């Protein structure tokens, strides 16, 4: 009987989680509604822009002429009723972006490796500070800086590759920060195990650290490239527009999709010019989308297999 009574008075263990109060439930539902509302509010302009550009430009870019011809011989939009093509602008955009990536990605990756693996003291803090400064520099300032150095200081005529140099200044901080975060995610145990086997630090970085974070580095590099492809100010200042195809970035003038849009936007009230503007905008969006998808695809399959 005593045993039964002792069991009866023994306190029952509690989970510590009482029933949800009405005020907590109301706050939770309110926060959920606010989050979904903010998401929908941010999604509306994005869908609106995509729908507008695709509905007005998709019919233009579906024509093979758009990809195979340039604007050679095109007159004023008011007197020219042929849309023709944007091959000169597409090739120019790809070439300028490729040159930018070839220059910017190695510099950014080596900068990130220095900051994560070697950076100590004042020099590392100065480098990190300069990367932060570059990430906030407007594109027009980078263009004016290159113009002052290239034309004003050295007196050299502008060529399309100068626009790539301005875009390099804009791409380096983006790739540097993304690569830096990927390198920080590599477990220190991998480095320590390599050091314990007597492997030099430089070989540990090239054989262990970089391959482990390769997928993130590739993804960040392609996202940075997609970001600079749509820049307009450096191209307007440093790369003169031409309606002819120029495949040599070291001479003459070279068109690009942003400058093509700017050049045609002056006559956007004319239907032909409007079609060219929407077609070029749609092409640029599709190119950026393709690069983003390529970055995610490469990043997924470039992971180190265990």
């Amino acid at each position: 009987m005593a045993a039964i009574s002792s069991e009866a008075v023994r306190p029952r263990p509690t989970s510590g989680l009482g029933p949800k109060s009405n005020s907590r439930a109301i706050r939770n539902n309110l926060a959920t509604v606010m989050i979904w509302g903010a998401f929908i509010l941010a999604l509306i302009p994005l869908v609106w822009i995509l729908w507008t550009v695709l509905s007005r430009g998709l019919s233009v870019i579906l024509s093979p002429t758009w990809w195979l011809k340039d604007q050679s011989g095109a007159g004023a939009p008011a007197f020219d009723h042929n849309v023709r093509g944007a091959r000169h602008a597409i090739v120019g955009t790809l070439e300028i972006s490729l040159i930018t990536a070839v220059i910017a990605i190695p510099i950014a990756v080596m900068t990130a490796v220095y900051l994560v693996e070697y950076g100590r003291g004042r020099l590392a803090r100065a480098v990190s500070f300069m990367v932060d400064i570059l990430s906030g520099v407007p594109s027009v300032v980078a263009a004016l800086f290159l113009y002052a150095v290239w034309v004003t200081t050295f007196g050299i005529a502008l060529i399309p590759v100068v626009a790539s140099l301005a875009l390099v200044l804009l791409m380096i901080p983006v790739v540097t920060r993304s690569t830096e975060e990927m390198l920080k995610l590599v477990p220190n145990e991998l480095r320590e195990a390599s050091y314990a086997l007597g492997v030099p630090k430089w070989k540990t970085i090239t054989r262990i650290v970089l391959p482990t974070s390769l997928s993130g580095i590739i993804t960040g590099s392609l996202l940075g490239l997609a970001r600079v492809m749509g820049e307009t100010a450096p191209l307007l200042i440093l790369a003169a527009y031409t309606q002819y195809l120029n495949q040599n970035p070291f001479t003459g003038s070279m068109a690009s999709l942003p400058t093509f849009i700017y050049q045609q936007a002056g006559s956007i009230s004319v239907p032909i010019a409007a079609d060219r503007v929407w077609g070029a905008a749609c092409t640029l969006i599709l190119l950026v989308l393709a690069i983003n998808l390529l970055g995610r695809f490469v990043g997924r399959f470039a992971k180190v297999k265990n």
Side-chain angles (χ1 to χ4, degrees), residues 225-237:
L225 177 61
R227 186 256 181 186
V228 300
M229 284 184 65
E231 290 291 346
T232 306
L235 301 175
L236 291 177
I237 297 175

Side-chain angles (χ1 to χ4, degrees), residues 187-303:
N188 285 328
E189 289 78 4
L190 294 178
R191 298 179 176 89
E192 294 171 356
S194 178
Y195 299 152
L197 295 175
V199 180
K201 187 170 185 176
W202 68 269
K203 188 172 289 187
T204 299
I205 295 173
T206 56
R207 299 292 181 87
I208 304 296
V209 178
L210 289 178
T212 304
S213 57
L214 181 61
S215 61
I217 294 174
I218 294 175
T219 302
S221 300
L222 292 178
L223 292 178
L225 177 61
R227 186 256 181 186
V228 300
M229 284 184 65
E231 290 291 346
T232 306
L235 301 175
L236 291 177
I237 297 175
L238 302 174
Y241 174 80
T242 177
Q243 60 187 4
Y244 302 99
L245 176 63
N246 178 19
Q247 298 179 346
N248 186 0
F250 298 98
T251 184
S253 302
M254 177 175 286
S256 62
L257 288 172
T259 55
F260 183 38
I261 294 173
Y262 177 82
Q263 193 267 343
Q264 294 294 324
S267 306
I268 198 168
S269 59
V270 181
I272 296 301
D275 290 341
R276 294 171 182 170
V277 168
W278 291 113
C282 186
T283 304
L284 185 59
I285 288 178
L286 292 180
L287 288 178
V288 172
L289 176 62
I291 290 179
N292 278 273
L293 294 177
L294 178 63
R296 297 185 181 276
F297 177 81
V298 174
R300 176 176 297 181
F301 289 96
K303 295 180 179 178

Side-chain angles (χ1 to χ4, degrees), residues 156-204:
I156 306 175
L158 287 176
I159 53 178
V161 74
V162 181
S164 296
L165 298 180
L167 295 177
V168 165
L169 298 178
L170 304 175
M171 185 174 178
I172 284 178
V174 177
V175 181
T176 298
R177 287 309 180 196
S178 63
T179 304
E180 189 177 356
E181 294 302 321
M182 291 300 105
L183 295 177
K184 290 179 180 178
L185 294 177
V186 178
N188 285 328
E189 289 78 4
L190 294 178
R191 298 179 176 89
E192 294 171 356
S194 178
Y195 299 152
L197 295 175
V199 180
K201 187 170 185 176
W202 68 269
K203 188 172 289 187
T204 299

Side-chain angles (χ1 to χ4, degrees), residues 44-57 278 285:
I44 288 175
L46 175 61
V47 175
W48 192 358
I49 292 173
L50 289 177
W51 170 254
T52 303
V53 174
L54 291 177
S55 62
R56 299 191 179 189
W278 291 113
I285 288 178

Side-chain angles (χ1 to χ4, degrees), residues 47-95:
V47 175
W48 192 358
I49 292 173
L50 289 177
W51 170 254
T52 303
V53 174
L54 291 177
S55 62
R56 299 191 179 189
L58 194 60
S59 59
V60 177
I61 69 173
L62 289 178
S63 173
T65 305
W66 180 258
W67 303 91
L68 300 177
K69 292 186 177 181
D70 53 22
Q71 293 290 316
S72 300
F79 305 99
D80 189 353
H81 301 287
N82 296 317
V83 176
R84 289 185 174 84
R87 182 189 174 194
H88 62 311
I90 297 172
V91 172
T93 299
L94 294 177
E95 286 191 7

